[in-house]
Amino acid sequence: MSKIIGFSMLWWLLGNPFLAVIVLLLLIYIIDRQFIGLSPSMIMPLKRMNRISKLKQQLHTNPHDISAKQELARLLMERKNYREARHLLEPLQESMDHSAEYWDDLGTSYIHTGDPERGDAAIRTALAINPRVKYGEPYLRLAAMYSQSDKNKAIEVLQSFQHIQSSSCEAYYRLGLLYEQIGKQEDAKNAWEEAIHIYRALPRYKKRHERKWMMKCRFKRGIA
């Protein structure tokens, strides 16, 4: 009802229904980005492309900058360019063998470039170094990889994830999706319920980041 009233007022003010629709959608988008975060960012892809360009220039000047290579690889993986990310990460193994985040990034690039066995080994190395790395997300990557080929192994990995007591609502949302995928509806519902419980206990500064995942969990729980 409020949207209809808002649209009517905009139509009256602007004198053009099409312009009123555009302005109303823009206002909804701004409010969502400010307070909820369900809508994808229109600015983030541009910022990412700009950062990728700068990092490539930086590496052209200094090809041995390891931190720049890591950051570039992660940004490339965000764009689904896993092969180029793998090309950057593989030569860093000797110098980064102590970094759990590095091994998880490398394993992710392996999984998405058709090399699941090496991906499994790299991610398990990451978890051996730090079981809580990236809020336990590596466990979910492994479970997703096994969910199609070996459901028992996928469940085993999911159970390991639950033992680390992650505070990431996003992680529990994805956990629920994986349980749903392998036919464990009750476990999926429990995972989404846990995300909602976690959200309530989060400090205010973290709730902004986790809010959209909590809302997705509420929606999934409601239709499960």
Side-chain angles (χ1 to χ4, degrees):
M1 178 64 72
S2 60
K3 291 185 179 65
I4 295 174
I5 295 173
F7 172 72
S8 300
M9 290 180 65
L10 286 170
W11 188 352
W12 177 73
L13 287 170
L14 299 172
N16 186 316
F18 298 105
L19 187 57
V21 169
I22 293 171
V23 172
L24 181 61
L25 291 175
L26 182 61
L27 287 172
I28 292 172
Y29 174 79
I30 291 171
I31 292 170
D32 174 75
R33 292 301 304 167
Q34 184 67 31
F35 299 106
I36 302 174
L38 289 176
S39 304
S41 172
M42 294 180 181
I43 299 173
M44 188 61 69
L46 298 176
K47 286 184 176 180
R48 183 167 55 228
M49 287 177 63
N50 184 53
R51 184 60 182 158
I52 287 173
S53 178
K54 288 183 178 179
L55 286 169
K56 286 183 175 180
Q57 291 175 8
Q58 187 174 328
L59 286 171
H60 182 73
T61 304
N62 181 9
H64 303 294
D65 190 333
I66 292 176
S67 62
K69 287 182 179 180
Q70 280 190 284
E71 184 182 354
L72 177 58
R74 286 172 186 163
L75 291 172
L76 289 170
M77 285 194 287
E78 287 179 11
R79 296 189 66 193
K80 313 299 182 186
N81 192 343
Y82 296 102
R83 195 160 299 280
E84 188 176 350
R86 174 175 173 171
H87 178 73
L88 285 166
L89 292 169
E90 281 186 315
L92 305 181
Q93 289 188 37
E94 187 173 341
S95 58
M96 298 300 298
D97 64 346
H98 61 285
S99 170
E101 290 195 356
Y102 164 76
W103 283 106
D104 179 57
D105 290 341
L106 180 62
T108 302
S109 73
Y110 280 145
I111 288 172
H112 290 280
T113 53
D115 204 343
E117 290 184 4
R118 295 178 75 180
D120 180 286
I123 291 177
R124 289 186 185 277
T125 299
L127 293 171
I129 295 170
N130 179 7
R132 297 179 181 273
V133 63
K134 297 182 181 179
Y135 300 102
E137 288 182 11
Y139 290 105
L140 301 184
R141 271 187 271 282
L142 289 178
M145 183 180 72
Y146 284 118
S147 62
Q148 299 297 327
S149 59
D150 190 335
K151 287 184 170 55
N152 288 330
K153 189 171 283 190
I155 293 171
E156 178 185 324
V157 174
L158 290 174
Q159 289 171 340
S160 297
F161 166 79
Q162 288 180 302
H163 290 157
I164 71 166
Q165 300 277 323
S166 174
S167 61
S168 167
C169 296
E170 177 184 1
Y172 273 95
Y173 172 74
R174 292 167 57 192
L175 174 65
L177 292 182
L178 288 171
Y179 271 129
E180 185 180 50
Q181 188 176 349
I182 60 179
K184 289 184 165 287
Q185 293 294 104
E186 193 60 34
D187 287 330
K189 201 168 183 178
N190 289 339
W192 295 321
E193 187 68 47
E194 181 66 18
I196 297 167
H197 176 73
I198 286 170
Y199 177 82
R200 294 189 184 116
L202 288 175
R204 185 175 298 178
Y205 74 92
K206 280 203 71 176
K207 284 186 175 181
R208 171 67 182 85
H209 174 72
E210 298 288 346
R211 189 174 295 126
K212 71 174 181 179
W213 300 106
M214 181 274 294
M215 294 185 70
K216 286 184 175 184
C217 288
R218 280 188 183 277
F219 176 76
K220 292 294 292 184
R221 185 196 60 176
I223 63 174

